[in-house]
Amino acid sequence: MVGWAIALHGGGGDIQLDYPDELRIPREIALRHCLDVGVSAFKSGKPPLDVVELVVRELENQPVFNAGKGSVLTAECTIEMEASIMDGKTKRCGAVSGLNTVVNPISLARLVMEKTPHVYLAFNAAEAFARAHGVETVETSHLITPENIQRLKQAKEFNRVQLDYTSPGPKAQGYHGESQTG
Amino acid sequence: TVGCVAVDSAGNLASATSTGGYVNKMAGRIGDSPIIGAGTYANHLCAVSATGQGEDIIRGTVARDVAALMEYKGLSLTEAAAYVIDQSVPKGSCGFIAVSANGEVTMPFNTNGMFRACATEDGYTEIGIWPKN
């Protein structure tokens, strides 16, 4: 067996080569920071399940990525976050959907895995489960960024759903003529 | 969408994915990230976390396909991932990260770019957005 290994992503999509530095650099810094969190966790002997939860929590806390704080907005200008986690050794897994106040959805997904006989809880019941377990929650407005309000306006203007990194403009060519990517 | 996969030196694997969905989506729409076997999967062979067009990733059962190709066709992680990114989803719709029990790391995507990073115990690290070449 070789040593430990870790990979992480901050989303993908229609990222043009001329992506502005003022958007690119904060995302690269955030990736480096979250990678360092994962490497330190491994070096301190944490198991893979703890490592992936820790890293995704850090990524959720970065407003530049579409998860946790910085989540994008639905057509109704609401936030609906979702997450899942899975342990390869036992195949135990947990998932949540439809959250709008939970600061770290990935930790709630892990609680579903560890504290219930189920795999998946969603919407109001998932929010109630979060409160019952003292998971950190905030007003939804704390999770919304001005950039994402602007992006929803752009998407509505072009009557499209928007790719994570689409530059606003007429419908994207290719797949369905719309970019529907999370 | 964000995600992380990890394997320790004993070959134990885990995967985690989290997202806000996509801009202007219908309220109530569920994407691939919380669907085990689509955007997130881990077993004794590999751990996978995906990002992209959720409906296509669900239709393609992307994360489970990678594991199944390793399990039933004996492909390596890199081979299984390359097959899935080329065959299981439309071009321009998906990317994922994956690690295997023997420490392989792969981060393929068929979109213009994917924000990604990886590190291994032997000191290798990579941070990228666009294809390496």
Side-chain angles (χ1 to χ4, degrees):
Chain A
M1 179 57 211
V2 296
W4 52 257
I6 181 173
L8 56 95
H9 68 79
D14 186 18
I15 310 171
Q16 299 298 320
L17 288 172
D18 61 355
Y19 194 62
D21 285 355
E22 64 271 20
L23 297 176
R24 176 178 60 80
I25 291 170
R27 284 166 174 79
E28 288 181 335
I29 291 170
L31 283 177
R32 163 67 64 190
H33 164 70
C34 296
L35 184 65
D36 290 346
V37 166
V39 170
S40 304
F42 259 140
K43 287 181 174 172
S44 63
K46 292 214 184 302
L49 194 61
D50 290 355
V51 172
V52 297
E53 181 190 5
L54 267 173
V55 170
V56 170
R57 284 175 64 94
E58 276 305 306
L59 288 161
E60 287 170 337
N61 295 338
Q62 305 288 334
V64 294
F65 294 128
N66 169 23
K69 185 173 177 60
S71 288
V72 297
L73 300 177
T74 71
E76 294 173 17
C77 205
T78 57
I79 278 193
E80 292 183 357
M81 301 178 284
E82 51 196 19
S84 65
I85 191 167
M86 186 163 191
D87 176 27
K89 191 172 187 175
T90 62
K91 286 203 183 170
R92 289 181 308 149
C93 47
V96 290
S97 279
L99 302 179
N100 55 24
T101 67
V102 173
V103 173
N104 293 112
I106 197 62
S107 293
L108 192 65
R110 183 164 183 177
L111 278 173
V112 171
M113 178 176 89
E114 294 180 337
K115 305 288 187 190
T116 81
H118 306 309
V119 167
Y120 201 154
L121 288 181
F123 294 96
N124 296 344
E127 286 278 341
F129 178 71
R131 283 169 177 69
H133 284 81
V135 167
E136 186 186 0
T137 58
V138 292
E139 285 296 316
T140 300
S141 56
H142 285 69
L143 298 169
I144 296 176
T145 61
E147 293 80 7
N148 282 327
I149 293 172
Q150 184 55 31
R151 291 182 62 200
L152 178 60
K153 282 181 189 154
Q154 287 165 1
K156 284 186 175 300
E157 192 180 315
F158 295 107
N159 184 28
R160 57 187 286 189
V161 290
Q162 197 175 55
L163 194 66
D164 255 357
Y165 298 101
T166 308
S167 45
K171 282 183 190 284
Q173 295 313 309
Y175 178 70
H176 288 330
E178 288 209 331
S179 50
Q180 298 177 333
T181 296
Chain B
T1 304
V2 301
C4 181
V5 292
V7 59
D8 65 14
S9 50
N12 300 306
L13 293 142
S15 175
T17 314
S18 182
T19 187
Y22 59 72
V23 184
N24 203 22
K25 71 175 185 177
M26 285 176 68
R29 175 265 187 186
I30 304 293
D32 63 288
S33 299
I35 308 290
I36 298 296
T40 305
Y41 189 73
N43 66 1
H44 61 292
L45 294 170
C46 68
V48 184
S49 171
T51 178
Q53 212 287 333
E55 282 72 7
D56 282 320
I57 294 169
I58 294 171
R59 292 185 194 108
T61 60
V62 164
R64 174 57 196 156
D65 266 23
V66 175
L69 285 165
M70 293 181 75
E71 188 166 1
Y72 301 120
K73 287 183 75 80
L75 300 191
S76 70
L77 176 70
T78 308
E79 291 165 338
Y83 180 90
V84 169
I85 206 74
D86 287 340
Q87 304 293 329
S88 300
V89 284
K91 178 132 187 66
S93 68
C94 172
F96 58 85
I97 54 174
V99 290
S100 69
N102 58 15
E104 271 183 292
V105 181
T106 188
M107 305 186 284
F109 52 96
N110 66 18
T111 52
N112 286 349
M114 178 170 76
F115 286 93
R116 63 195 189 282
C118 71
T120 54
E121 190 166 8
D122 62 6
Y124 176 78
T125 63
E126 177 186 334
I127 289 186
I129 300 174
W130 295 286
K132 269 194 275 187
N133 48 6

